[in-house]
Amino acid sequence: MRHLMTATALPVLAMLGSPVLAQTYSNETGSVTFYGQVSPTYLGYDDGDETSNELADNAHSNTRVGFWLERELASSVLKFNFETAVGLPQTSAFSQDSSPDWEWDKTKLRKVDIVWDSLSWGSISFGQGSMASDGVATIDKSGTTMVSTVTTSDTAGSYLFREDGGDLSDIALGDVYSDFDGGRRGRIRYDTPTFGGFKLAAAYGEEILTSGDDSEYYDIGAFYSNDYGSFEVSAGAGYAWKDSDGDTTERYAGSVSVLHGGTGLNGTFALGGDPDGGDYCYIKAGWITDFTPVGSTAFSADYYSGSDFQNDGSSSDAWGLQVTQNFDAHNIEAYAGFASYEFDGDGGVDYQDSSSTLAGLRWRF
């Protein structure tokens, strides 16, 4: 808790006038850019009988530091990206009987990646980093992504549903709310150049930061972004295969988000699934406006509907309300949100509805 209170104080210092830490240094051979963010948040969770209150790191976009090295090579650019989370306890890791400690290990490495990039033929990436379908499900122009996205379980994914009789079940929120988005692994990835707003990607990867997973991962992704008058449109879709000793599983996901620049009204839709069981759809509606000169204010409401995650016939629904206030001069977002969860296992056991409250800051430097 002491460490998290220290992390919480950092954005406050920034608001009081501490210097921005992000820096780019360059010379005739290349450049290096350092960056990071701090994401402290309050998490409250009510399982129907008991309430938990925690100070944690926001798993929707956790505290991290990193740097980019870049060097121009004729008609291309050679890049190296290192990025790591700092190991603060995540909102997604707390539960009724678990309070994780601050701990850093190699699984906190987000990117150790070499990229050879060219406008003419695309880019090749090698190392720990995003698979080709990473991000296809999470495209979201609402401005409230620190509070809620399709990654519903990032808020309180380890908390257990409580049965109507009062006993804790062994079913966590993360078991029945999935987004099927691509992840980060040790991989080799190719991205095409962008043509007319479209870009394609393909990757092969293996899990190199944790032991016990000898599976091979393959995926493809397609991304699109363009403006149509006052409308900004972004979309993505992906398909992934996992080969475990000849046993192949598949999954798909996609999303589209539209923002009207004139009014700030926006909408997001996502879906995904596993052909062998479990699928969802997600919708979000929002409004971004300028109430104050310090920065824009974003409001949104979202709804998630999943089926067949725990067993055939199960349903997992969630809805929420969110707000974010930006402080542009200090690169800070202050946010708050409420979410309600309802799970029906269709197996003769009834579960109590639960809810979460999230409130915090993100300071980017």
Side-chain angles (χ1 to χ4, degrees), residues 24-288:
T24 297
Y25 304 93
S26 60
N27 56 31
E28 65 278 2
T29 63
S31 65
V32 57
T33 300
F34 297 93
Y35 65 91
Q37 65 181 40
V38 181
S39 304
T41 192
Y42 160 79
L43 169 63
Y45 185 79
D46 184 346
D47 65 16
D49 277 0
E50 298 181 359
T51 301
S52 303
N53 299 282
E54 304 290 350
L55 186 61
D57 196 34
N58 192 335
H60 285 287
S61 185
N62 60 14
T63 298
R64 65 191 66 165
V65 292
F67 65 87
W68 277 98
L69 289 171
E70 298 189 16
R71 180 167 183 172
E72 293 188 8
L73 300 173
S75 60
S76 60
V77 180
L78 186 63
K79 306 176 184 179
F80 174 74
N81 186 201
F82 175 86
E83 183 178 296
T84 181
V86 302
L88 289 164
Q90 301 293 291
T91 52
S92 58
F94 284 87
S95 70
Q96 289 94 335
D97 53 12
S98 175
S99 295
D101 295 323
W102 186 347
E103 179 181 9
W104 189 94
D105 57 35
K106 64 181 180 180
T107 64
K108 306 304 186 296
L109 291 171
R110 294 173 53 84
K111 299 177 182 178
V112 185
D113 196 17
I114 298 172
V115 184
W116 187 13
D117 192 2
S118 169
L119 291 176
S120 60
W121 52 261
S123 65
I124 296 176
S125 306
F126 178 79
Q128 174 70 19
S130 293
M131 293 289 288
S133 60
D134 189 17
V136 298
T138 58
I139 296 169
D140 187 329
K141 293 181 175 293
S142 66
T144 61
T145 57
M146 286 299 293
V147 196
S148 181
T149 68
V150 68
T151 59
T152 304
S153 61
D154 280 350
T155 298
S158 292
Y159 278 96
L160 302 173
F161 283 99
R162 190 175 292 276
E163 298 177 2
D164 270 357
D167 294 332
L168 281 177
S169 73
D170 59 358
I171 301 173
L173 266 71
D175 296 330
V176 297
Y177 295 98
S178 182
D179 54 78
F180 296 109
D181 197 51
R184 292 182 300 274
R185 294 183 175 87
R187 88 286 186 248
I188 183 168
R189 168 175 169 165
Y190 170 69
D191 289 64
T192 69
T194 299
F195 298 104
F198 285 97
K199 182 180 74 170
L200 303 177
Y204 164 80
E206 298 179 6
E207 186 56 71
I208 62 175
L209 299 182
T210 59
S211 58
D213 185 353
D214 297 324
S215 301
E216 297 180 325
Y217 296 84
Y218 309 82
D219 67 350
I220 54 175
F223 299 88
Y224 177 76
S225 184
N226 218 332
D227 294 341
Y228 295 89
S230 298
F231 290 92
E232 301 175 15
V233 180
S234 294
Y239 208 95
W241 298 263
K242 176 182 177 180
D243 186 354
S244 302
D245 295 326
D247 181 18
T248 301
T249 57
E250 304 173 25
R251 65 183 189 179
Y252 61 90
S255 60
V256 58
S257 191
V258 180
L259 169 65
H260 183 252
T263 62
L265 295 173
N266 57 83
T268 297
F269 177 76
L271 58 77
D274 176 347
D276 295 324
D279 58 72
Y280 74 88
C281 63
Y282 171 85
I283 190 168
K284 187 185 219 181
W287 178 43
I288 302 174

